Amino acid sequence: MPSKYQIQVKDEKGRLDKFIAEEINDLSRTRVKELIQDKNILVNGKSAKVSYKIQSGDQISVTVPKLKPLNAEPEDIPLDIIYEDQDVIVVNKPQGMVVHPAAGHPDHTLVNALLYHTKDLAASPEGFRPGIVHRIDKDTSGLLMVAKNSKARKSLESQLAHKTNKRQYLAIVHGNFGEDAGTIDAPIGRNPYHRKKMGIIDNGKNAVTHFKVLEQFKKYSLVRCQLETGRTHQIRVHMAYIGHPVAGDPLYGPRKTLKGNGQFLHAQVLGFKQPSTGEWLEFKVKPPAIFEQRLTELRRNK
C-alpha cells in the first residue's frame, strides 16, 4: 500500500521539493523530485513544479508508491582492484558496467561483483548500493573508491562534500580549442523535456569543471577534466555546453562521432585521504584499449 500524507501549510516555506524533504524524513530530495515529476505530490489538488514557492494556506498531498525492492546478490564477476585496505577498495571499473542495481539493471553490476569479493562493505540506506559513495556512468571507465565500513563511508563522503579529494578524467571531445585551459561554472539539473538527460538549468545545482587541453587533432581534442563538484553527467553536460561534446556520447553528442562503446571518458586519477590514518592516497590508471586505439589513430592522422 502507498503511504499518504496531507500537509496544511501555515506560512511561506520556500521551494516545494526542499520543504517536503524536510517535512517527511524518510524521503530524500531526489526521491521528492521524482514524486513531483510523477504527479504524486499535488499542491491544492494540482501538479506543481519542483521549484514552486510554497504559500501560506497551501494544501499539499503526498502519495508515496511502494518501491519494488532491489536486492544485490553476490556474483562471480572479475574485478580490477587497484588498492585495498581495512577501510577502502579502489577499483578500476570497466566501460559497460553499471555501478549498482537499478531499474533496468538489476544485476551484473559492480556492487554484485564487490559482494562476491568481500563481506566487508559499508551499509547504505538503500540496500542495493553497499559501499558506494560516488558513481561513474555505465560507459565511463576508471577509478572508484568504495567504503568497507561506516567510518570510511563518512570520511569519503565528507571529502567529496568538502571538495578535498581529487578526481581527474581524460576525454576525447569534438572540435578544437582556442585556449589551453578553462573553467566551466554552470548549474546542472534534470532536463525538463527529457528525463534521461541533464542540462544547464538556472535553478540547478552548482557545478564546476576545470579543463586543460592536452592535444588537438583534426576535428577532435584530448582534454583533462578535473571535477570540483560531482553532478550527474557533469563532464558530459559541461563539455557539450561549451560546444565540445565528448566523442561517442549517445545523449549529448552528435551521431557522427568516433566509433567505440559509448563516450570516450575515463576516470584516470583518484586521490583521497585514507579514512583512518589521514595518509594521502593517489592512483592513476590507463584508459581502456578502445580509447588508446582511437587516440593512436587520431595522432596518426593529424
Side-chain angles (χ1 to χ4, degrees):
M1 292 289 293
S3 300
K4 295 188 176 183
Y5 304 85
Q6 294 289 335
I7 303 170
Q8 171 73 47
V9 181
K10 295 181 179 179
D11 51 30
E12 295 184 4
K13 294 286 186 179
R15 284 172 56 111
L16 176 62
D17 59 337
K18 185 178 180 182
F19 169 70
I20 296 298
E22 291 174 350
E23 188 76 10
I24 305 174
N25 293 331
D26 293 338
L27 296 179
S28 68
R29 190 104 169 250
T30 299
R31 180 66 173 139
V32 169
K33 287 181 180 180
E34 291 173 352
L35 293 172
I36 294 171
Q37 290 164 349
D38 292 339
K39 299 182 180 180
N40 283 310
I41 295 179
L42 303 177
V43 179
N44 303 321
K46 298 179 181 179
S47 60
K49 293 182 178 180
V50 169
S51 58
Y52 171 78
K53 301 295 185 184
I54 294 174
Q55 305 296 316
S56 176
D58 280 344
Q59 299 255 3
I60 303 174
S61 64
V62 181
T63 302
V64 185
K66 192 172 182 179
L67 289 173
K68 184 179 178 181
L70 287 167
N71 296 314
E73 299 293 336
E75 292 184 56
D76 187 4
I77 301 171
L79 284 173
D80 183 8
I81 294 176
I82 305 302
Y83 173 84
E84 183 173 4
D85 61 24
Q86 75 277 10
D87 292 316
V88 297
I89 301 172
V90 176
V91 62
N92 181 20
K93 186 190 82 67
Q95 192 175 34
M97 177 181 270
V98 175
V99 171
H100 62 71
H105 298 283
D107 47 26
H108 311 316
T109 71
L110 178 66
V111 162
N112 297 109
L114 286 166
L115 286 169
Y116 186 88
H117 170 74
T118 180
K119 294 180 181 179
D120 297 323
L121 291 175
S124 70
E126 311 92 342
F128 57 87
R129 48 182 298 181
I132 301 303
V133 294
H134 69 129
R135 296 175 292 178
I136 55 178
D137 299 330
K138 174 188 173 185
D139 292 328
T140 298
S141 56
L143 294 169
L144 277 172
M145 53 187 178
V146 178
K148 296 179 73 175
N149 53 62
S150 59
K151 176 185 175 182
R153 171 185 285 280
K154 289 179 181 178
S155 172
L156 297 178
E157 287 180 341
S158 176
Q159 291 180 55
L160 287 165
H162 291 92
K163 307 171 187 176
T164 57
N165 66 330
K166 183 177 181 180
R167 287 173 292 166
Q168 286 184 350
Y169 290 69
L170 277 184
I172 302 175
V173 302
H174 283 265
N176 292 150
F177 292 77
E179 65 275 7
D180 295 330
T183 294
I184 308 163
D185 186 348
I188 291 177
R190 183 71 58 182
N191 186 313
Y193 307 107
H194 193 313
R195 289 195 61 189
K196 288 188 177 180
K197 296 177 73 172
M198 308 300 287
I200 304 303
I201 308 294
D202 286 343
N203 62 351
K205 292 183 178 180
N206 174 54
V208 179
T209 304
H210 307 284
F211 70 88
K212 181 176 177 60
V213 181
L214 303 179
E215 293 183 67
Q216 306 215 58
F217 318 104
K218 289 180 180 178
K219 299 182 180 179
Y220 296 95
S221 298
L222 176 68
V223 298
R224 180 172 65 230
C225 295
Q226 181 152 332
L227 292 179
E228 186 171 312
T229 56
R231 308 306 176 201
T232 301
H233 299 176
Q234 179 170 317
I235 292 173
R236 298 165 64 188
V237 172
H238 271 173
M239 296 312 295
Y241 176 64
I242 64 170
H244 297 283
V246 178
D249 192 328
L251 275 181
Y252 306 103
R255 290 187 178 183
K256 189 175 181 180
T257 187
L258 294 180
K259 291 183 179 180
N261 303 315
Q263 61 269 7
F264 285 82
L265 182 61
H266 174 67
Q268 183 187 36
V269 176
L270 177 65
F272 58 90
K273 287 184 178 180
Q274 206 286 340
S276 293
T277 67
E279 177 190 1
W280 179 256
L281 302 174
E282 187 165 317
F283 308 93
K284 183 176 182 179
V285 290
K286 291 182 178 180
I290 188 68
F291 195 116
E292 297 276 24
Q293 183 181 340
R294 293 294 175 261
L295 269 182
T296 299
E297 293 168 357
L298 290 170
R299 286 167 179 151
R300 188 184 302 137
N301 297 318
K302 267 188 178 182

